[in-house]
Short mmCIF file of all heavy atoms in Angstrom, two decimals:
data_model
loop_
_atom_site.label_atom_id
_atom_site.label_comp_id
_atom_site.label_asym_id
_atom_site.label_seq_id
_atom_site.Cartn_x
_atom_site.Cartn_y
_atom_site.Cartn_z
N ARG G 31 -42.64 -36.73 13.67
CA ARG G 31 -43.84 -37.50 13.39
C ARG G 31 -44.82 -36.76 12.46
O ARG G 31 -45.21 -37.32 11.43
CB ARG G 31 -44.57 -37.89 14.67
CG ARG G 31 -43.93 -39.04 15.41
CD ARG G 31 -44.37 -40.40 14.88
NE ARG G 31 -43.42 -41.44 15.24
CZ ARG G 31 -43.47 -42.18 16.34
NH1 ARG G 31 -44.47 -42.04 17.20
NH2 ARG G 31 -42.56 -43.09 16.56
N PRO G 32 -45.22 -35.53 12.79
CA PRO G 32 -46.10 -34.82 11.87
C PRO G 32 -45.42 -34.53 10.52
O PRO G 32 -46.09 -34.52 9.48
CB PRO G 32 -46.43 -33.52 12.60
CG PRO G 32 -45.53 -33.42 13.78
CD PRO G 32 -45.01 -34.80 14.04
N LEU G 33 -44.10 -34.36 10.55
CA LEU G 33 -43.40 -34.11 9.31
C LEU G 33 -43.47 -35.33 8.38
O LEU G 33 -43.80 -35.22 7.21
CB LEU G 33 -41.91 -33.83 9.66
CG LEU G 33 -41.00 -33.59 8.48
CD1 LEU G 33 -41.14 -32.18 7.99
CD2 LEU G 33 -39.57 -33.90 8.84
N VAL G 34 -43.18 -36.51 8.94
CA VAL G 34 -43.21 -37.72 8.11
C VAL G 34 -44.64 -38.02 7.62
O VAL G 34 -44.86 -38.44 6.51
CB VAL G 34 -42.58 -38.90 8.87
CG1 VAL G 34 -42.84 -40.23 8.16
CG2 VAL G 34 -41.09 -38.68 9.07
N LYS G 35 -45.59 -37.72 8.49
CA LYS G 35 -47.01 -37.90 8.10
C LYS G 35 -47.30 -37.04 6.86
O LYS G 35 -47.94 -37.51 5.92
CB LYS G 35 -47.91 -37.52 9.27
CG LYS G 35 -49.30 -38.02 9.17
CD LYS G 35 -50.02 -37.89 10.49
CE LYS G 35 -51.28 -38.64 10.54
NZ LYS G 35 -52.44 -38.51 10.13
N LYS G 36 -46.84 -35.84 6.88
CA LYS G 36 -47.05 -34.91 5.74
C LYS G 36 -46.35 -35.43 4.50
O LYS G 36 -46.88 -35.41 3.40
CB LYS G 36 -46.50 -33.53 6.08
CG LYS G 36 -47.46 -32.59 6.66
CD LYS G 36 -47.23 -31.15 6.18
CE LYS G 36 -48.47 -30.31 6.29
NZ LYS G 36 -49.17 -30.46 7.56
N ILE G 37 -45.14 -35.90 4.68
CA ILE G 37 -44.33 -36.40 3.53
C ILE G 37 -45.06 -37.56 2.85
O ILE G 37 -45.04 -37.68 1.65
CB ILE G 37 -42.91 -36.81 4.00
CG1 ILE G 37 -42.10 -35.60 4.43
CG2 ILE G 37 -42.17 -37.54 2.91
CD1 ILE G 37 -40.79 -35.92 5.13
N LEU G 38 -45.70 -38.39 3.68
CA LEU G 38 -46.31 -39.60 3.13
C LEU G 38 -47.80 -39.46 2.83
O LEU G 38 -48.43 -40.41 2.36
CB LEU G 38 -46.09 -40.79 4.09
CG LEU G 38 -44.63 -41.15 4.30
CD1 LEU G 38 -44.48 -42.31 5.28
CD2 LEU G 38 -43.94 -41.49 2.99
N GLU G 39 -48.34 -38.29 3.04
CA GLU G 39 -49.78 -38.08 2.84
C GLU G 39 -50.18 -38.44 1.42
O GLU G 39 -49.54 -38.05 0.45
CB GLU G 39 -50.08 -36.59 3.07
CG GLU G 39 -51.47 -36.31 3.62
CD GLU G 39 -51.52 -34.89 4.21
OE1 GLU G 39 -51.37 -33.94 3.44
OE2 GLU G 39 -51.69 -34.77 5.44
N GLY G 40 -51.25 -39.23 1.31
CA GLY G 40 -51.77 -39.59 -0.01
C GLY G 40 -50.87 -40.53 -0.79
O GLY G 40 -50.96 -40.63 -2.02
N ALA G 41 -49.97 -41.24 -0.08
CA ALA G 41 -49.08 -42.18 -0.78
C ALA G 41 -49.89 -43.20 -1.56
O ALA G 41 -50.80 -43.82 -1.01
CB ALA G 41 -48.19 -42.87 0.24
N ASP G 42 -49.57 -43.39 -2.82
CA ASP G 42 -50.28 -44.38 -3.64
C ASP G 42 -49.31 -45.47 -4.09
O ASP G 42 -48.18 -45.52 -3.64
CB ASP G 42 -50.95 -43.69 -4.83
CG ASP G 42 -49.94 -42.98 -5.71
OD1 ASP G 42 -48.72 -43.25 -5.55
OD2 ASP G 42 -50.34 -42.18 -6.53
N ASP G 43 -49.77 -46.29 -5.03
CA ASP G 43 -48.95 -47.45 -5.44
C ASP G 43 -47.68 -47.01 -6.19
O ASP G 43 -46.84 -47.84 -6.48
CB ASP G 43 -49.75 -48.36 -6.34
CG ASP G 43 -50.80 -49.11 -5.56
OD1 ASP G 43 -50.81 -48.98 -4.29
OD2 ASP G 43 -51.64 -49.83 -6.16
N ASN G 44 -47.60 -45.77 -6.52
CA ASN G 44 -46.39 -45.31 -7.21
C ASN G 44 -45.24 -45.00 -6.24
O ASN G 44 -44.10 -44.82 -6.68
CB ASN G 44 -46.72 -44.03 -8.04
CG ASN G 44 -45.59 -43.71 -8.97
OD1 ASN G 44 -45.17 -44.56 -9.76
ND2 ASN G 44 -45.09 -42.49 -8.93
N LEU G 45 -45.56 -44.96 -4.96
CA LEU G 45 -44.54 -44.54 -3.98
C LEU G 45 -44.00 -45.70 -3.16
O LEU G 45 -44.74 -46.34 -2.40
CB LEU G 45 -45.09 -43.48 -3.03
CG LEU G 45 -44.06 -42.88 -2.07
CD1 LEU G 45 -43.08 -41.96 -2.81
CD2 LEU G 45 -44.74 -42.10 -0.93
N LEU G 46 -42.71 -46.00 -3.36
CA LEU G 46 -42.06 -47.07 -2.61
C LEU G 46 -41.19 -46.44 -1.53
O LEU G 46 -40.36 -45.58 -1.83
CB LEU G 46 -41.18 -47.91 -3.55
CG LEU G 46 -41.80 -48.33 -4.87
CD1 LEU G 46 -40.82 -49.18 -5.71
CD2 LEU G 46 -43.11 -49.10 -4.66
N VAL G 47 -41.40 -46.85 -0.28
CA VAL G 47 -40.72 -46.17 0.85
C VAL G 47 -39.83 -47.16 1.57
O VAL G 47 -40.27 -48.23 1.99
CB VAL G 47 -41.77 -45.59 1.84
CG1 VAL G 47 -41.05 -44.91 3.00
CG2 VAL G 47 -42.70 -44.61 1.13
N ILE G 48 -38.57 -46.78 1.71
CA ILE G 48 -37.62 -47.58 2.52
C ILE G 48 -37.24 -46.73 3.73
O ILE G 48 -36.80 -45.59 3.54
CB ILE G 48 -36.32 -47.86 1.76
CG1 ILE G 48 -36.59 -48.40 0.35
CG2 ILE G 48 -35.42 -48.78 2.55
CD1 ILE G 48 -36.80 -49.87 0.28
N ALA G 49 -37.41 -47.25 4.91
CA ALA G 49 -37.07 -46.48 6.09
C ALA G 49 -35.94 -47.17 6.89
O ALA G 49 -35.92 -48.39 7.01
CB ALA G 49 -38.28 -46.30 7.00
N GLY G 50 -35.05 -46.35 7.42
CA GLY G 50 -33.97 -46.86 8.23
C GLY G 50 -34.45 -47.38 9.57
O GLY G 50 -35.57 -47.07 10.01
N LEU G 51 -33.62 -48.14 10.21
CA LEU G 51 -33.95 -48.73 11.52
C LEU G 51 -34.12 -47.62 12.56
O LEU G 51 -33.69 -46.49 12.37
CB LEU G 51 -32.84 -49.69 11.97
CG LEU G 51 -31.59 -49.09 12.65
CD1 LEU G 51 -30.72 -50.22 13.14
CD2 LEU G 51 -30.80 -48.17 11.75
N GLY G 52 -34.80 -47.94 13.64
CA GLY G 52 -34.97 -46.97 14.71
C GLY G 52 -36.11 -46.02 14.40
O GLY G 52 -37.12 -46.39 13.87
N SER G 53 -35.89 -44.76 14.72
CA SER G 53 -36.98 -43.80 14.74
C SER G 53 -37.69 -43.66 13.37
O SER G 53 -38.91 -43.52 13.34
CB SER G 53 -36.46 -42.42 15.15
OG SER G 53 -35.69 -42.52 16.31
N SER G 54 -36.96 -43.73 12.28
CA SER G 54 -37.59 -43.57 10.96
C SER G 54 -38.56 -44.70 10.72
O SER G 54 -39.63 -44.51 10.08
CB SER G 54 -36.55 -43.54 9.85
OG SER G 54 -35.57 -42.60 10.10
N ASN G 55 -38.22 -45.90 11.16
CA ASN G 55 -39.07 -47.07 11.06
C ASN G 55 -40.42 -46.77 11.78
O ASN G 55 -41.50 -46.95 11.19
CB ASN G 55 -38.32 -48.26 11.66
CG ASN G 55 -39.15 -49.54 11.77
OD1 ASN G 55 -40.35 -49.48 11.93
ND2 ASN G 55 -38.49 -50.68 11.72
N TRP G 56 -40.33 -46.29 13.01
CA TRP G 56 -41.57 -46.05 13.77
C TRP G 56 -42.34 -44.88 13.13
O TRP G 56 -43.57 -44.86 13.13
CB TRP G 56 -41.34 -45.71 15.23
CG TRP G 56 -40.15 -46.29 15.97
CD1 TRP G 56 -39.29 -45.61 16.81
CD2 TRP G 56 -39.65 -47.63 15.95
NE1 TRP G 56 -38.32 -46.46 17.28
CE2 TRP G 56 -38.52 -47.70 16.79
CE3 TRP G 56 -40.06 -48.79 15.32
CZ2 TRP G 56 -37.80 -48.85 16.99
CZ3 TRP G 56 -39.35 -49.97 15.50
CH2 TRP G 56 -38.23 -49.98 16.33
N ASP G 57 -41.61 -43.89 12.60
CA ASP G 57 -42.29 -42.70 11.99
C ASP G 57 -43.15 -43.08 10.82
O ASP G 57 -44.28 -42.65 10.69
CB ASP G 57 -41.25 -41.69 11.51
CG ASP G 57 -40.45 -41.01 12.64
OD1 ASP G 57 -40.92 -41.01 13.78
OD2 ASP G 57 -39.36 -40.51 12.35
N ILE G 58 -42.58 -43.88 9.91
CA ILE G 58 -43.40 -44.21 8.71
C ILE G 58 -44.56 -45.09 9.10
O ILE G 58 -45.61 -45.04 8.47
CB ILE G 58 -42.58 -44.83 7.53
CG1 ILE G 58 -42.07 -46.23 7.86
CG2 ILE G 58 -41.42 -43.91 7.10
CD1 ILE G 58 -41.71 -47.03 6.59
N THR G 59 -44.37 -45.88 10.12
CA THR G 59 -45.51 -46.76 10.56
C THR G 59 -46.58 -45.95 11.24
O THR G 59 -47.75 -46.19 11.05
CB THR G 59 -44.92 -47.89 11.47
OG1 THR G 59 -43.85 -48.50 10.83
CG2 THR G 59 -46.01 -48.89 11.80
N ALA G 60 -46.15 -44.94 12.02
CA ALA G 60 -47.15 -44.06 12.69
C ALA G 60 -47.96 -43.33 11.63
O ALA G 60 -49.15 -43.01 11.83
CB ALA G 60 -46.45 -43.09 13.60
N ALA G 61 -47.37 -43.09 10.48
CA ALA G 61 -48.09 -42.38 9.40
C ALA G 61 -49.07 -43.32 8.70
O ALA G 61 -49.91 -42.87 7.90
CB ALA G 61 -47.10 -41.80 8.38
N GLY G 62 -48.98 -44.63 8.98
CA GLY G 62 -49.89 -45.59 8.36
C GLY G 62 -49.13 -46.71 7.70
O GLY G 62 -48.50 -46.50 6.66
N ASP G 63 -49.15 -47.90 8.31
CA ASP G 63 -48.42 -49.03 7.73
C ASP G 63 -49.04 -49.40 6.38
O ASP G 63 -50.28 -49.33 6.21
CB ASP G 63 -48.48 -50.23 8.69
CG ASP G 63 -47.59 -51.39 8.21
OD1 ASP G 63 -46.52 -51.10 7.63
OD2 ASP G 63 -47.97 -52.56 8.43
N ARG G 64 -48.24 -49.74 5.41
CA ARG G 64 -48.72 -50.12 4.08
C ARG G 64 -47.73 -51.09 3.45
O ARG G 64 -46.52 -51.01 3.77
CB ARG G 64 -48.95 -48.88 3.20
CG ARG G 64 -47.71 -48.01 3.08
CD ARG G 64 -48.00 -46.62 2.53
NE ARG G 64 -48.08 -46.58 1.07
CZ ARG G 64 -47.01 -46.51 0.28
NH1 ARG G 64 -45.77 -46.48 0.76
NH2 ARG G 64 -47.15 -46.48 -1.03
N PRO G 65 -48.18 -51.96 2.58
CA PRO G 65 -47.28 -52.99 2.01
C PRO G 65 -46.11 -52.38 1.25
O PRO G 65 -45.03 -52.99 1.24
CB PRO G 65 -48.21 -53.76 1.04
CG PRO G 65 -49.58 -53.57 1.58
CD PRO G 65 -49.59 -52.19 2.19
N LEU G 66 -46.28 -51.20 0.68
CA LEU G 66 -45.17 -50.61 -0.07
C LEU G 66 -44.24 -49.78 0.80
O LEU G 66 -43.46 -48.96 0.31
CB LEU G 66 -45.70 -49.83 -1.26
CG LEU G 66 -46.32 -50.72 -2.36
CD1 LEU G 66 -46.95 -49.88 -3.45
CD2 LEU G 66 -45.28 -51.68 -2.95
N ASN G 67 -44.33 -50.00 2.10
CA ASN G 67 -43.33 -49.49 3.07
C ASN G 67 -42.40 -50.62 3.37
O ASN G 67 -42.83 -51.75 3.69
CB ASN G 67 -43.97 -49.07 4.39
CG ASN G 67 -44.60 -47.69 4.35
OD1 ASN G 67 -44.60 -47.03 3.30
ND2 ASN G 67 -45.13 -47.26 5.47
N MET G 68 -41.10 -50.37 3.32
CA MET G 68 -40.12 -51.38 3.74
C MET G 68 -39.35 -50.80 4.90
O MET G 68 -38.28 -50.14 4.71
CB MET G 68 -39.24 -51.76 2.56
CG MET G 68 -38.29 -52.90 2.86
SD MET G 68 -39.16 -54.48 3.04
CE MET G 68 -37.91 -55.43 3.90
N PRO G 69 -39.82 -50.99 6.14
CA PRO G 69 -39.09 -50.50 7.30
C PRO G 69 -37.99 -51.49 7.66
O PRO G 69 -38.22 -52.69 7.77
CB PRO G 69 -40.16 -50.46 8.38
CG PRO G 69 -41.20 -51.46 7.95
CD PRO G 69 -41.08 -51.68 6.50
N LEU G 70 -36.78 -51.00 7.82
CA LEU G 70 -35.68 -51.92 8.14
C LEU G 70 -35.58 -52.16 9.64
O LEU G 70 -35.89 -51.27 10.45
CB LEU G 70 -34.35 -51.35 7.61
CG LEU G 70 -34.31 -51.19 6.07
CD1 LEU G 70 -32.93 -50.81 5.62
CD2 LEU G 70 -34.76 -52.46 5.36
N TRP G 71 -35.18 -53.33 9.96
CA TRP G 71 -35.01 -53.74 11.34
C TRP G 71 -33.55 -54.17 11.55
O TRP G 71 -33.20 -55.26 11.13
CB TRP G 71 -35.90 -54.95 11.65
CG TRP G 71 -37.34 -54.67 11.83
CD1 TRP G 71 -38.32 -54.81 10.87
CD2 TRP G 71 -38.02 -54.19 12.99
NE1 TRP G 71 -39.54 -54.47 11.39
CE2 TRP G 71 -39.39 -54.10 12.69
CE3 TRP G 71 -37.57 -53.86 14.29
CZ2 TRP G 71 -40.31 -53.67 13.62
CZ3 TRP G 71 -38.51 -53.43 15.21
CH2 TRP G 71 -39.86 -53.33 14.88
N GLY G 72 -32.77 -53.33 12.13
CA GLY G 72 -31.43 -53.80 12.53
C GLY G 72 -30.33 -53.63 11.48
O GLY G 72 -29.18 -53.58 11.84
N SER G 73 -30.68 -53.57 10.20
CA SER G 73 -29.60 -53.53 9.18
C SER G 73 -29.12 -52.07 9.02
O SER G 73 -29.39 -51.43 8.01
CB SER G 73 -30.12 -54.10 7.88
OG SER G 73 -31.38 -53.62 7.57
N MET G 74 -28.40 -51.62 10.02
CA MET G 74 -27.94 -50.22 10.05
C MET G 74 -26.97 -49.98 8.91
O MET G 74 -26.02 -50.71 8.71
CB MET G 74 -27.27 -49.94 11.40
CG MET G 74 -27.04 -48.46 11.63
SD MET G 74 -26.61 -48.21 13.36
CE MET G 74 -26.09 -46.52 13.30
N GLY G 75 -27.23 -48.91 8.12
CA GLY G 75 -26.35 -48.55 7.02
C GLY G 75 -26.81 -49.06 5.67
O GLY G 75 -26.24 -48.70 4.63
N ALA G 76 -27.90 -49.82 5.62
CA ALA G 76 -28.32 -50.45 4.35
C ALA G 76 -29.34 -49.63 3.60
O ALA G 76 -29.65 -49.92 2.43
CB ALA G 76 -28.89 -51.83 4.63
N THR G 77 -29.90 -48.62 4.21
CA THR G 77 -31.13 -47.97 3.68
C THR G 77 -30.92 -47.31 2.33
O THR G 77 -31.70 -47.53 1.38
CB THR G 77 -31.64 -46.94 4.71
OG1 THR G 77 -31.44 -47.43 6.01
CG2 THR G 77 -33.11 -46.68 4.50
N VAL G 78 -29.87 -46.50 2.20
CA VAL G 78 -29.67 -45.78 0.95
C VAL G 78 -29.34 -46.76 -0.20
O VAL G 78 -29.87 -46.61 -1.31
CB VAL G 78 -28.56 -44.70 1.07
CG1 VAL G 78 -28.16 -44.15 -0.28
CG2 VAL G 78 -29.06 -43.58 1.97
N SER G 79 -28.54 -47.79 0.09
CA SER G 79 -28.21 -48.74 -0.94
C SER G 79 -29.45 -49.51 -1.41
O SER G 79 -29.64 -49.78 -2.60
CB SER G 79 -27.18 -49.77 -0.41
OG SER G 79 -26.05 -49.09 0.05
N MET G 80 -30.34 -49.83 -0.44
CA MET G 80 -31.58 -50.51 -0.84
C MET G 80 -32.44 -49.62 -1.69
O MET G 80 -33.03 -50.05 -2.69
CB MET G 80 -32.34 -50.96 0.41
CG MET G 80 -31.75 -52.20 1.02
SD MET G 80 -32.76 -52.88 2.36
CE MET G 80 -34.24 -53.34 1.49
N GLY G 81 -32.50 -48.36 -1.32
CA GLY G 81 -33.29 -47.42 -2.09
C GLY G 81 -32.75 -47.25 -3.49
O GLY G 81 -33.50 -47.19 -4.48
#
Side-chain angles (χ1 to χ4, degrees):
R31 282 276 158 92
L33 178 82
V34 169
K35 197 166 193 282
K36 267 215 156 47
I37 291 170
L38 298 180
E39 212 163 64
D42 60 14
D43 289 355
N44 192 52
L45 186 71
L46 314 181
V47 179
I48 310 276
L51 83 174
S53 311
S54 307
N55 174 330
W56 330 135
D57 292 339
I58 68 160
T59 308
D63 188 34
R64 55 194 277 279
L66 291 174
N67 280 2
M68 186 69 199
L70 298 188
W71 285 98
S73 44
M74 192 167 170
T77 323
V78 169
S79 304
M80 282 187 65

